[in-house]
């Protein structure tokens, strides 16, 4: 293609005059083709098609939508090496990682396809009697989704948010991340091809490009939009939240805005296997050049951590520097780590450096400093982590209580440590969407029980998850049907339970008929 | 009592200099005692106690919390006639209605007590394997609740929001509605007595009074608050929403802000039983002097409505005027209905008038007028309703599509009508939380399937309900526990399922062990 275009419904569109290009962070080269920035008219057109499509798409059966999701999987797989190579060029991520991420992406689509095929997710509730009330979850309308830079496949165009929204019955207008427009374009064409093959209404999916905030803000402010899903920085998520909550008709924003993911090491386990933990922890900090929302950017030790720290210092010297996703992210990492030093954190271990790459860096402060200067504990996206030394149990608990909302909090301890510090776990339960014992926060399982969410400023709202099957509820609302004649009831709520789903019948879970 | 005081935890407190009094709208007399407006210091103290109480209250067992809710029921019942008479004085509502409302209140408390005793509501999800992930709903913290004027018991101090929050494990700081402070005080003392009897931590419940917006706003802005529940006007709800979303740490606002609850009458049923429908409809419009959130303030007829309209005009003459909850509400009703006339709606039927009372009034406009002047279709709290005449199916659908979010939408039709207008129902499904066929919106059943919610401007967020067991989820968030040793898992998530609750085990509903 000569110029990157928008996918407005089933049409290519390139009305804009503004353009931008992606950059290969590994080769340090601008990439072709140039992409056009979407115009407000193009966004309006995508929204118009999506709103029109909703009236049909919401009436598709779960089987039809599952077929659509499976068709997307096939079309993505059919892109073959071109997709992986393109994503590698635009992100600097290794091929093996991107192949794994493609599997994660198709796995997510399959998970949601299977969820809706089984059908019980609609949370059908029937209270028979006078009146007869029957409730289920219905899709809310058109969803605007903003892709993340750090997962060009799994949290991008056909990522978890898109899978959940399409599964629920909501059309999607996707704002591609400007760091990987060509990858986004390839996946967008795969979704459009799948939609056509599956006879989905035009407008069920559109893809718009843009490198300016205005483009995203125009989408967020569009009156036909029903919700926003976002994965990215706190600043970006907050800007969308402000727009969405100040509209004439406010809409929910499901923003995953990152986290420092503190890891607590308790005395018994430090004594028992400090060296082993150091090796594992450093792997978690530097995995994927630290470019994960769940990267552990803070770690606290309480008790004698000498072996642990010595091993960290020893191991870090063999950690190779890595290419980051964009030069902007690299620069923010360098500025952030530099700022830590000037603001009083002490660098106690660092990996070798290289031009245009990020090296692992470990800093140290104590609890009083962490509490007095909370800016030392804020997220720096990349392979650094700040060590907090607690000199007493009081400091340990005090620091835990001072934490802001997180995606994850991790505690390492022997059984005795954990029994002794039950109060710590009790405090930390209020701070995150996921609590990990004796593991590491990186690696987010995609299943029915996962929560990838947490209190502000990690996410908004706290009661959401962007990973796992619960993510579908962000794009639904409950509606109840009072005294509806059988022929007007959705299949999910018909007395004879034609779909064979689990329902709450007068307060009792059952698969029987109503 | 000589002066009405705050209930700050287990203490009476009256630090404020500002005071206000309730008014008997029936006798048109000021009531004693005078109540003190809460000071910011008192609110801060209530919040401090509540936040401290949360760390203990969240750890109570469901049985302990259910016992607390049952104790509240007993204490409310023990208030006997004093409660009913006080509420009647402050609200002008009839004794029989208030006795019924007390039953509704205790019924709601029982429903939530039984819900948590059964236990499956926590939505436990277990994905065993590596890693082992276990999810459940946990309480979010201290809830600020703002009572409604129109249900001095069931949507007030011990109303549905309080029952849901306390059941979930959240302390409550309740801002009493200034129209019924003494009723609020009595119920507040009942809750405190129940809390003491049940050994609940001090601060699990506080009651503050105030007649100014500042008092409520101070509560809404308090950094220790985790969510707000509100039932009342659009203006009041929106003000709280704005405060809550612009805080340093935004919190969710669950606001039920009212609705016009349109009722659609289709041609076949108008021909079949227009007179009977007129009688029933007028009862719904005038029930409780029209002071329900679900009062039908709009009704549309399509087809020959002559018999229906004649019967309305005939019946309305025998509808007695009624005392409204407050003089302010009466005045707003008079201003609102007067404004309808000056803005072009035609009064076509009215009940007899009386001093200091509201009389039923019916207006008429056509669809083009309704669409051109949406202000004619906005809520007027009281026993009025605006008739919209649709001259074609196109107008009928056009009007339906133009509607804003509602708590309820009702359709009357024969089977043939409904089959012919499936497209209408399809449009209306997007407009409300509850759809009613051949019934009336007034009367909200309290059960597992009810949705008392709906899209903006009826409510925020659309995905919530303030009536029925689903209301508990407003005060919870999911959290997942990764690789927790058995002894640290909550009972709900222990492999052996000691509570015998329904759980989603690797995607399958089951009561078995994990």
């Amino acid at each position: 293609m000569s110029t990157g275009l928008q996918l407005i419904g089933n049409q290519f569109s390139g009305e804009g005059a503004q353009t931008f290009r992606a950059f290969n962070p590994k080769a340090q080269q601008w990439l072709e083709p140039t992409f056009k920035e979407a115009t407000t008219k193009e966004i309006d057109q995508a929204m118009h098609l999506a709103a029109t499509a909703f009236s049909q798409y919401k009436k598709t059966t779960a089987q039809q939508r599952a077929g659509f999701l499976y068709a997307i999987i096939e079309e993505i797989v059919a892109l073959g090496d071109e997709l992986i190579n393109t994503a590698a060029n635009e992100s600097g991520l290794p091929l093996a990682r991107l192949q794994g991420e493609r599997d994660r992406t198709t796995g997510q689509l399959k998970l949601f396809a299977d969820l809706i095929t089984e059908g019980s997710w609609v949370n059908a509730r029937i209270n028979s009697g006078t009146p007869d009330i029957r409730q289920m979850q219905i899709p809310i309308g058109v969803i605007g989704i903003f892709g993340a830079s750090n997962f060009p496949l799994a949290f991008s165009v056909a990522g978890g948010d898109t899978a959940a929204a399409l599964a629920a019955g909501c059309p999607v207008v996707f704002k591609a991340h400007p760091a990987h427009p060509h990858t986004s374009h390839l996946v967008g064409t795969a979704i459009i091809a799948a939609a056509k093959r599956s006879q989905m209404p035009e407008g069920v999916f559109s893809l718009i490009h843009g490198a300016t905030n205005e483009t995203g803000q125009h989408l967020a402010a569009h009156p036909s939009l029903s919700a926003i899903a976002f994965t990215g920085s706190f600043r970006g998520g907050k800007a969308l939240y402000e727009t969405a909550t100040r509209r004439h008709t406010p809409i929910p924003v499901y923003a995953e805005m990152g986290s420092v993911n503190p890891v607590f090491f308790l005395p018994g386990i430090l004594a028992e296997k400090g060296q082993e933990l150091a090796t594992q922890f450093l792997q978690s900090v530097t995995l994927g050049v630290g470019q994960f929302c769940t990267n552990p950017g803070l770690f606290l030790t309480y008790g004698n951590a000498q072996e642990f720290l010595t091993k960290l210092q020893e191991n870090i010297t063999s950690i190779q520097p890595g290419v980051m996703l964009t030069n902007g992210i690299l620069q923010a990492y360098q500025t952030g780590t530099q700022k830590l030093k000037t603001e009083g954190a002490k660098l106690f271990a660092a990996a070798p450096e290289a031009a245009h790459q990020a090296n692992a860096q470990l800093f140290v402060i104590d609890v009083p400093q962490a509490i007095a200067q909370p800016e030392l504990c804020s997220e720096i996206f990349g392979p650094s982590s700040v060590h907090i030394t607690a000199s007493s149990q009081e400091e340990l608990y005090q620091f835990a209580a001072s934490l802001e909302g997180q995606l994850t909090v991790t505690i390492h301890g022997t059984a005795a440590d954990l029994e002794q510090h039950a109060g710590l776990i009790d405090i930390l339960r209020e701070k995150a969407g996921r609590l990990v014992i004796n593991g590491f926060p990186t690696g987010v399982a995609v299943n029915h029980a996962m929560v990838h969410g947490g209190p502000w400023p990690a996410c908004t709202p706290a009661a959401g998850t962007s990973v796992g099957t619960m993510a579908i509820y962000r794009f639904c609302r409950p509606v109840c049907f009072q005294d509806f004649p059988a022929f007007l009831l959705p299949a999910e709520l018909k007395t004879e339970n034609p779909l064979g789903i689990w329902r709450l019948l007068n307060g009792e879970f059952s698969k029987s008929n109503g």
Side-chain angles (χ1 to χ4, degrees), chain A:
Chain A
M1 113 184 115
S2 55
T3 309
L5 304 173
Q6 326 308 319
L7 298 174
I8 307 298
N10 296 349
Q11 306 298 318
F12 292 105
S13 179
E15 293 184 359
Q18 265 184 281
T19 59
F20 68 98
R21 278 189 297 173
F23 187 80
N24 182 327
K26 199 164 175 181
Q28 290 286 308
Q29 283 176 345
W30 291 104
L31 290 166
E32 292 303 327
T34 293
F35 271 78
K36 292 217 170 197
E37 180 106 9
T39 65
T40 57
K41 201 178 137 204
E42 285 171 323
I43 297 169
D44 293 347
Q45 174 65 4
M47 285 302 305
H48 171 72
L49 286 170
T52 307
F54 179 54
S55 63
Q56 292 171 260
Y57 190 57
K58 72 179 186 179
K59 283 187 274 190
T60 53
T61 64
Q63 280 63 29
Q64 289 170 322
R65 293 198 303 284
F68 176 29
L69 296 179
Y70 270 103
I72 296 173
I73 294 173
E74 288 173 15
E75 296 289 340
I76 288 173
V77 171
L79 292 171
D81 288 346
E82 188 189 359
L83 177 63
I84 302 299
N85 293 331
T86 304
N89 284 339
E90 291 187 325
S91 68
L93 292 170
L95 297 178
R97 145 72 195 267
L98 289 165
Q99 283 152 357
E101 194 180 323
R102 179 176 56 191
D103 291 346
R104 184 188 179 94
T105 306
T106 57
Q108 287 173 164
L109 287 159
K110 183 176 179 310
L111 183 72
F112 283 105
D114 295 351
L115 180 78
I116 60 175
T117 301
E118 193 279 329
S120 302
W121 75 274
V122 298
N123 201 0
R125 294 168 159 238
I126 298 178
N127 268 76
S128 51
T130 309
D132 179 284
I133 309 271
R134 295 170 188 239
Q135 178 195 126
M136 65 180 282
Q137 296 286 328
I138 65 167
I140 52 171
V142 182
I143 314 299
I145 305 182
F146 292 75
S149 65
N150 62 337
F151 278 88
L153 302 175
F155 283 79
S156 190
V157 179
D161 288 335
T162 300
L166 292 178
C170 297
V172 168
V173 175
F174 199 99
K175 163 69 176 60
H177 196 284
H180 53 264
H182 202 169
T183 307
S184 297
H185 177 82
L186 289 173
V187 177
T189 56
I191 296 176
I192 297 295
K196 284 185 187 167
R197 260 174 66 184
S198 314
Q199 279 94 51
M200 292 296 143
E202 181 173 7
V204 70
F205 182 84
S206 287
L207 179 67
I208 59 167
H209 292 281
T212 69
N213 290 343
E214 289 69 26
T215 301
Q217 287 289 338
H218 186 76
L219 174 59
H222 197 285
S224 300
L225 201 66
S226 290
I228 292 169
F230 167 89
T231 305
S233 68
F234 177 71
R235 202 194 329 196
K238 187 159 185 275
L240 290 173
Y241 179 80
E242 285 172 359
T243 299
T245 51
R246 293 170 190 196
R247 293 161 49 115
H248 176 68
T249 297
I251 57 175
V253 176
Y254 294 97
E256 193 269 73
M257 303 179 284
S259 174
V260 277
N261 305 293
V263 179
F264 290 76
F265 294 98
L266 297 177
I269 206 150
L270 280 173
E272 198 175 281
K273 48 179 193 173
Q275 296 200 8
E276 187 185 335
L277 289 175
T279 301
Q280 294 168 345
F281 177 69
L282 197 61
Q283 279 167 357
S284 181
V285 171
T286 59
L287 186 71
V289 199
Q291 299 170 111
F292 294 108
C293 310
T294 53
N295 185 257
L298 279 185
F299 62 112
L300 179 145
T301 59
Y302 170 47
N304 183 348
Q306 204 44 60
E307 286 200 354
F308 173 78
L309 296 171
T310 304
K311 186 73 178 172
L312 282 180
Q313 286 173 314
E314 190 182 308
N315 282 8
I316 203 168
T317 58
S318 59
I319 303 275
Q320 292 309 305
V323 173
M324 294 198 86
L325 292 155
T326 69
N327 279 359
I329 289 174
L330 175 64
Q331 202 183 329
Y333 177 70
Q334 288 167 337
T335 311
T337 48
Q338 191 54 46
K339 201 159 161 253
L340 273 183
K341 279 178 270 189
T342 58
E343 284 176 353
K346 196 184 138 206
L347 181 73
F348 80 92
E353 297 180 34
H356 307 302
Q357 299 196 9
N359 69 321
Q361 299 179 41
L362 299 176
F363 298 86
V364 62
I365 58 177
D366 59 18
V367 168
Q369 209 177 350
I371 289 173
Q373 291 176 264
E375 67 278 12
L376 297 178
C377 300
S378 55
E379 188 183 7
I380 297 171
F381 195 71
S384 68
S385 197
V386 176
H387 176 209
I388 319 264
T389 55
S391 64
S392 64
Q393 175 163 319
E394 197 192 334
E395 279 195 359
L396 169 68
Y397 281 51
Q398 196 189 356
F399 177 71
S402 78
L403 283 171
E404 290 191 302
Q406 306 287 338
L407 290 166
T408 71
V409 171
T410 300
I411 302 149
H412 283 269
T414 60
D417 282 333
L418 298 171
E419 273 177 50
Q420 235 172 320
H421 295 94
L424 175 69
I425 300 169
D426 199 55
I427 292 168
L428 294 174
R429 199 184 77 152
E430 309 309 324
K431 304 293 186 181
R434 178 161 58 106
L435 299 168
V436 182
I437 298 279
N438 292 331
F440 292 92
T442 41
V444 182
V446 182
N447 60 34
H448 299 284
M450 175 51 62
V451 177
H452 188 64
W456 184 280
C459 295
T460 176
T465 174
S466 61
V467 175
T469 54
M470 287 280 284
I472 198 169
Y473 296 106
R474 296 173 301 162
F475 307 128
C476 299
R477 67 180 176 93
V479 67
C480 76
F481 301 90
Q482 179 170 327
D483 290 333
F484 265 51
F487 76 95
L488 280 179
L489 282 170
E492 290 85 348
L493 297 177
K494 284 188 199 295
T495 297
E496 60 274 24
N497 195 12
L499 303 182
I501 59 176
W502 285 98
R503 309 191 291 188
L504 197 69
L505 300 183
N506 300 310
E508 299 280 340
F509 274 106
S510 166
K511 275 196 172 184
S512 79
N513 59 33

